[in-house]
Amino acid sequence: MKTSNKEEEPHFVKRDKFAITAEYKQWFADIKSRLRNSQIKAAIKVNSTLLEFYWSLGRDIVKMKAEQAWGSGVLQQLSFDLRDEFPGMKGLSYTNLRYAAQWFRFYTSDDESICQQLVDELSMP
């Protein structure tokens, strides 16, 4: 004997039972726009947070003079350890760790010749 339990039965709304009005279309367009904007803001926040992490990682590598203190293998070891701890994350390769340190050195350098822009070397007519 089959008993009827309304909580267990799925409730479906047939599309032909709802008349889509101009007001609904506008409301739906607004929701889509807000959702897309939220997705973009979230991606920007994630990216800026990761950039802050890579900046601080580069700073740590440079400030500790890690390669001088522990030898050239320290970045390779750090890369292995980070990738083991965060297996799904990209950007933790030996090369990226070196780039993080180079990025920090470049933007904190007092050597003006490194930071001088090419446009300064162009002659104006």
Side-chain angles (χ1 to χ4, degrees), residues 55 62 99-111 114-117:
W55 177 265
V62 169
Y99 288 158
Q102 287 174 352
W103 180 41
F104 180 82
R105 276 189 213 103
F106 179 80
Y107 283 101
T108 58
S109 173
D110 289 336
D111 185 356
I114 292 175
C115 298
Q116 187 175 16
Q117 296 202 7

Side-chain angles (χ1 to χ4, degrees), residues 8-19:
E8 293 178 11
E9 295 177 11
H11 297 281
F12 297 103
V13 176
K14 294 183 179 180
R15 285 185 176 258
D16 61 348
K17 295 286 183 180
F18 177 73

Side-chain angles (χ1 to χ4, degrees), residues 64-97:
M64 294 176 62
K65 298 185 179 178
E67 290 177 305
Q68 293 173 5
W70 294 305
S72 62
V74 69
L75 292 184
Q76 190 69 46
Q77 184 63 47
L78 181 60
S79 172
F80 289 143
D81 291 341
L82 287 170
R83 287 186 287 170
D84 283 346
E85 191 67 30
F86 304 97
M89 187 174 171
K90 296 185 179 211
L92 300 174
S93 69
Y94 165 77
T95 303
N96 283 348
L97 298 182

